[in-house]
Amino acid sequence: MKTLIMVLAIVGGLTATVHAEETMGEKAQATTNDAGRAMKKGAHRAKEAVCMKSDAKCLAEKAKHRGQEAGDAIGDKASEVKNNVDKK
């Protein structure tokens, strides 16, 4: 019985997770990244609303904007994940 309790205690200790907090600088950077992406997204939507080119060119520009926005979001989130992993 003693052995079973010791094994459970060891396994429980090994599965405990360390929770790292973001520093204030990292939180500020994440907020800045979110605000910057929102501004770019708004500017892209405004350009798309007044597009005077042919439909195909407008659709191509819209697709390009979505690609840029996705790339920015992925890059920012990767940086945030890296910051969290670095602290653990």
Side-chain angles (χ1 to χ4, degrees):
M1 186 66 157
K2 215 181 213 186
T3 311
L4 177 63
I5 292 172
M6 288 179 61
V7 169
L8 290 175
I10 292 171
V11 170
L14 292 176
T15 60
T17 58
V18 176
H19 203 66
E21 291 291 323
E22 284 184 317
T23 64
M24 291 301 288
E26 292 168 347
K27 287 180 183 180
Q29 184 64 43
T31 302
T32 302
N33 290 343
D34 291 342
R37 282 195 320 270
M39 288 176 53
K40 286 181 185 178
K41 182 177 178 179
H44 287 162
R45 298 305 180 276
K47 286 180 184 178
E48 292 163 7
V50 297
C51 186
M52 297 293 187
K53 300 174 186 171
S54 70
D55 288 338
K57 288 183 181 179
C58 286
L59 287 175
E61 189 172 331
K62 186 175 180 179
K64 182 180 100 177
H65 289 161
R66 297 303 179 278
Q68 289 173 343
E69 292 166 9
D72 289 345
I74 290 169
D76 292 343
K77 294 302 174 187
S79 176
E80 291 174 24
V81 168
K82 179 193 153 297
N83 289 339
N84 286 336
V85 170
D86 286 346
K87 301 300 178 195
K88 291 183 180 181

